[in-house]
């Protein structure tokens, strides 16, 4: 489930660009045709993933959290390889680096 839910950050970015609406077709058009200049992609973050695994380890969290982290990890790995042809750099998956660029996406995508 977490491997799917992580992509909700695309919806958040869509709403930041267009305002809240329920036009699903426009959302996919916006994504597929890369109509965005800025992307926050809050959950697509190796920093958050690393922190999650550390917290799980430090606090001995149970199988729910481990499953969540596995889904999150799987999604990030699949994105790294699956989106490779669109990326100038794989550093796009570091939230701090995106923030350092003001979330402007042109430095990360072809
Ligand atoms: Zn993704």
């Amino acid at each position: 489930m977490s491997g799917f839910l992580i992509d909700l950050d695309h919806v958040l970015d869509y709403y930041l660009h267009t305002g809240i609406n329920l036009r699903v077709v426009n959302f996919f058009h916006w994504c597929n045709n890369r109509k965005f200049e800025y992307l926050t992609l809050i959950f697509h973050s190796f920093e958050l993933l690393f922190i999650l695994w550390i917290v799980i380890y430090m606090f001995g969290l149970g199988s729910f959290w481990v499953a969540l982290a596995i889904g999150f990890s799987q999604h990030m790995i699949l994105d790294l390889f699956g989106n490779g042809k669109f990326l100038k750099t794989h550093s796009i998956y570091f939230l701090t680096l995106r923030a350092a660029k003001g979330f402007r996406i042109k430095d990360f995508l072809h």
Side-chain angles (χ1 to χ4, degrees), residues 6-7 10 44 75 79 83 93:
I6 185 176
D7 271 342
H10 294 289
H44 285 74
H75 186 104
D79 270 2
N83 293 332
Y93 291 103

Side-chain angles (χ1 to χ4, degrees), residues 17-54:
H17 279 78
T18 65
I20 294 177
N21 65 76
L22 298 176
R23 293 182 291 266
V24 177
V25 172
N26 290 359
F27 168 72
F28 286 106
H29 176 77
W30 181 82
C31 287
N32 294 333
N33 295 299
R34 297 199 247 163
K35 298 291 187 186
F36 38 79
E37 186 176 344
Y38 299 91
L39 289 177
T40 56
L41 296 174
I42 298 298
F43 301 124
H44 285 74
S45 163
F46 279 116
E47 297 94 326
L48 292 180
L49 181 58
F50 180 73
I51 291 168
L52 177 61
W53 279 113
I54 293 295

Side-chain angles (χ1 to χ4, degrees), residues 2-3 6 46 49 53 68-78:
S2 61
I6 185 176
F46 279 116
L49 181 58
W53 279 113
L68 185 125
I70 288 171
F72 187 175
S73 300
Q74 177 188 19
H75 186 104
M76 293 293 285
I77 291 167
L78 290 174

